[in-house]
């Protein structure tokens, strides 16, 4: 971490000095002010996507800083070197610029941005669990890179307008701002998100070959789309608009649809997996629907802030994040098997311990939010899940398919109570295909929690 922070600091100082030298002091500040405008909306959009299981802010800011400092410096140095080498070899500076923008820049820039994703994927694997995390990490990295690049382009345009004395409406600065900030602020995030989706798919893959090939495939797609975008001006007078309308806008629409679907699937997985833990006593009946609803989560934090201050709101926020992480941990383990999550039991115990410590503060707020958001149906029966749990526990094997809890009618029987185990529940072995530890201290009589494709 210290090495990475020193690297970011050194590259940040270097890129700051390099951009200021190329644009001039006045151009630098004008470009900086204009380039800041799309940063907040883009970061908010990517943060919204990852709110179901939020990544740490430190990790996201590292990705933004990597894109703005390290990746931008690598791209500038490599692109300048490649362009000068091509110009010396061909003795034609115009061809060197065109070839550099189409063939060199996409490879260098996308590879530099992908390095941040690789670092998070390798060293922060706990927070890189699927396509949603790849989406968010790639988006923050590309937003940082586009921020620095926009400062350079807008600062240079302002310097040329200042030298020529051009009016504001007819200026090159206004045209550059319209193309890069208004028309296509999503260009760099769109390219890098393809790499992020490749890493996200690799996080769910079981085979080693897939974990290697899927990120490379995403990187290749990002480079190809970036090259098409940079070369659009060479397709005639209207080539740029043709590529923008026929390729960029449809791809942007597909990725927006995919982002919404990924977010919805994550929340559905949270609801399904936490229902099992609720049957074991870790969550109340009203907490599960609240934890699977983003408006209810926000309302719970607001209620906790009103009653207990900012400390209570932070406790509820951490409780929500840990609950989502627990649900997604079990969901991945059930899909990938023991080899996919070898430290499942340790990670599960850690999350359950943290949840138990904060439950006294978070559970009432979440239950109140579920009531206010009308998430509890009139026919809600907290015994339905317990009866379904007993049926699967008696069978002793995972069912052939996942049965929704609402499909099981609860007969008039006593709730299932399993005799305590010979060992302490906190020392039990747990896995996605075996019963998980019950809620509370060892003195509480445990309730069996099935795994596998049993009743959800």
């Amino acid at each position: 971490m210290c090495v990475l922070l020193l690297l970011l600091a050194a590259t940040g100082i270097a890129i700051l000095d390099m951009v200021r030298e190329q644009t001039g002091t006045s151009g630098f500040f004008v470009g900086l002010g204009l380039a800041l405008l799309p940063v907040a909306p883009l970061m908010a959009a990517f943060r919204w996507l990852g709110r179901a299981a939020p990544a740490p802010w430190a990790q996201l800011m590292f990705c933004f800083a990597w894109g703005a400092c390290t990746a931008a410096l690598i791209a500038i140095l490599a692109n300048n070197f490649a362009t000068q080498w091509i110009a010396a070899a061909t003795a034609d500076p115009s061809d060197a610029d065109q070839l550099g923008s189409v063939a060199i820049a996409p490879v260098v820039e996308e590879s530099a941005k992908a390095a941040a994703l690789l670092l998070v994927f390798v060293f922060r694997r706990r927070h890189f669990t699927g396509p949603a995390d790849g989406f968010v990490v790639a988006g923050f990295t590309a937003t940082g890179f586009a921020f620095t690049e926009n400062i350079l382009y807008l600062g240079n345009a302002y310097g040329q307008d200042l030298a020529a004395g051009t009016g504001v409406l007819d200026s090159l600065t206004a045209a550059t701002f319209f193309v890069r900030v208004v028309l296509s602020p999503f260009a760099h995030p769109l390219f890098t998100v393809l790499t992020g989706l490749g890493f996200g798919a690799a996080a769910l893959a079981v085979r080693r070959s897939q974990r290697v090939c899927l990120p490379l495939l995403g990187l290749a797609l990002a480079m190809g789309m970036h090259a098409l975008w940079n070369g659009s001006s060479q397709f005639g007078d209207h080539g740029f608009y043709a590529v923008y309308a026929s390729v960029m806008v449809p791809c942007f629409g597909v990725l927006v649809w995919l982002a919404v679907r990924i977010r919805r699937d994550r929340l559905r997985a949270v609801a399904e997996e936490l229902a099992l833990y609720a049957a074991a006593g870790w969550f109340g009946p009203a907490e599960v629907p609240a934890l699977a609803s983003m408006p209810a989560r926000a309302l719970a934090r607001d209620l906790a802030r009103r009653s207990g201050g900012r400390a209570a709101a932070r406790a509820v926020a951490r409780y929500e994040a840990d609950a989502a992480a627990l649900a997604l941990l079990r969901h991945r383990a059930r899909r990938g098997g023991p080899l996919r999550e070898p430290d499942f039991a340790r990670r599960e115990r850690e999350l359950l311990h943290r949840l138990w410590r904060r439950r006294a503060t978070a559970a009432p707020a979440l239950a109140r939010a579920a009531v206010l958001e009308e998430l509890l149906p009139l026919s809600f029966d907290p015994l339905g899940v317990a009866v379904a749990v007993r049926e699967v526990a008696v069978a002793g094997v995972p069912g052939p398919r996942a049965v929704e809890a609402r499909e099981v009618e609860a007969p008039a029987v006593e709730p299932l109570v399993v005799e305590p185990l010979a060992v302490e529940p906190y020392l039990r072995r747990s896995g996605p295909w075996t019963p998980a530890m019950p809620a509370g201290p060892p003195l509480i009589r445990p309730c069996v929690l099935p795994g596998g494709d049993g009743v959800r």
Side-chain angles (χ1 to χ4, degrees):
M1 183 62 67
C2 292
V3 172
L4 288 176
L5 291 177
L6 289 175
L7 177 62
L8 289 177
T11 54
I13 295 173
I15 193 67
L16 179 68
D17 182 69
M18 185 176 296
V19 172
R20 189 200 60 79
E21 183 179 354
Q22 293 190 20
T23 61
T25 302
S26 58
F28 172 79
F29 284 106
V30 170
L32 177 64
L34 296 177
L36 277 173
L37 296 178
V39 170
L42 287 173
M43 293 176 68
F46 288 111
R47 184 64 174 173
W48 172 87
L49 172 60
R51 287 297 298 173
W57 265 111
Q59 176 179 301
L60 299 180
M61 295 312 298
F62 162 77
C63 294
F64 179 85
W66 181 277
C69 301
T70 308
L73 181 63
I74 293 173
I76 290 176
L77 294 177
N79 288 337
N80 290 340
F81 173 79
T83 302
Q84 293 175 5
W85 181 79
I86 295 173
T90 60
D92 191 344
S94 61
D95 289 343
D97 290 338
Q98 294 177 359
L99 184 60
S101 65
V102 176
I104 305 300
V107 175
V108 172
E109 295 177 6
E110 296 306 322
S111 299
K113 289 182 286 184
L117 280 69
L118 179 61
L119 289 172
V120 176
F121 184 80
V122 173
F123 296 105
R124 288 293 181 268
R125 189 64 169 272
R126 177 181 296 183
H127 303 298
F128 206 122
T129 59
D133 296 305
F135 223 113
V136 175
V137 171
F140 270 78
T141 306
T143 300
F145 185 89
F147 167 68
T148 301
E149 194 177 62
N150 285 340
I151 295 176
L152 184 62
Y153 278 92
L154 290 168
N156 285 332
Y158 177 79
Q160 296 180 26
D161 292 334
L162 193 64
T166 310
V168 175
L169 297 179
D170 298 331
S171 64
L172 183 60
T173 305
T176 304
F177 178 83
F178 176 75
V179 172
R180 298 190 64 86
V181 178
V182 177
L183 201 62
S184 59
F186 58 85
H188 273 288
L190 177 62
F191 307 145
T192 313
V193 158
L194 298 176
T195 307
L197 291 177
F199 276 100
L204 299 177
V206 177
R207 297 180 180 178
R208 184 181 181 86
S209 59
Q210 293 177 338
R211 293 198 296 269
V212 174
C213 294
L214 289 174
L216 293 178
L217 177 60
L219 179 61
L221 292 175
M223 292 176 180
M225 182 166 287
H226 196 160
L228 179 64
W229 174 249
N230 285 358
S232 60
S233 59
Q234 302 180 22
F235 298 155
D237 296 336
H238 303 287
F240 169 81
Y241 298 102
V243 172
Y244 180 82
S246 62
V247 177
M248 297 293 290
V249 173
C251 288
F252 176 72
V254 169
L255 286 180
V256 170
W257 169 82
L258 183 61
V260 173
R261 180 172 180 178
I262 288 174
R263 188 175 188 264
R264 185 177 65 246
D265 290 345
R266 266 195 159 188
L267 292 174
R268 183 182 296 115
V270 168
E272 292 174 349
E273 302 297 341
L274 291 186
L276 296 175
Y277 288 99
W282 285 102
F283 301 98
E287 291 180 65
V288 175
L291 289 169
S293 169
M294 299 310 298
R297 287 196 201 180
L299 179 58
R301 295 193 298 271
D302 185 59
L303 293 173
R305 185 180 296 106
R306 293 179 184 178
S307 60
R310 298 179 62 181
R314 285 196 299 268
V316 174
R318 292 172 181 172
Y319 186 87
E320 294 169 350
D322 288 340
L326 176 66
L328 296 178
L329 173 72
R330 190 174 185 88
H331 186 67
R332 292 193 308 274
R334 281 154 55 89
R335 292 181 57 182
L339 296 178
R340 192 70 199 89
E341 293 291 340
D343 61 340
F344 173 85
R346 180 189 62 79
R347 179 63 175 155
E348 182 192 42
R349 284 195 298 269
E350 176 186 343
L351 289 171
L352 289 175
H353 178 67
R354 283 155 49 177
L355 287 166
W356 191 260
R357 290 172 55 192
R358 299 190 178 100
R359 188 180 181 188
T361 302
L366 287 167
R368 180 62 176 165
V371 173
L372 293 177
E373 289 289 329
E374 300 181 351
L375 299 177
L376 300 177
L378 296 177
S379 59
F380 179 76
D381 183 9
L383 297 180
V385 176
V387 173
V389 166
R390 183 183 65 176
E391 295 178 356
V392 177
V394 172
V397 295
R401 69 182 183 90
V403 182
E404 296 291 341
R406 61 175 176 273
E407 298 177 2
V408 182
E409 296 183 0
V413 295
E414 294 294 329
L416 172 66
V417 177
V418 181
E419 292 298 326
L421 298 178
V423 296
E424 293 184 359
Y426 282 101
L427 300 180
R428 286 177 53 195
R429 181 181 179 183
S430 180
W433 300 94
T434 58
M437 64 187 70
L443 297 179
I444 295 179
R445 296 167 66 88
C447 184
V448 175
L449 175 62
D453 288 333
V455 176
R456 298 183 179 182

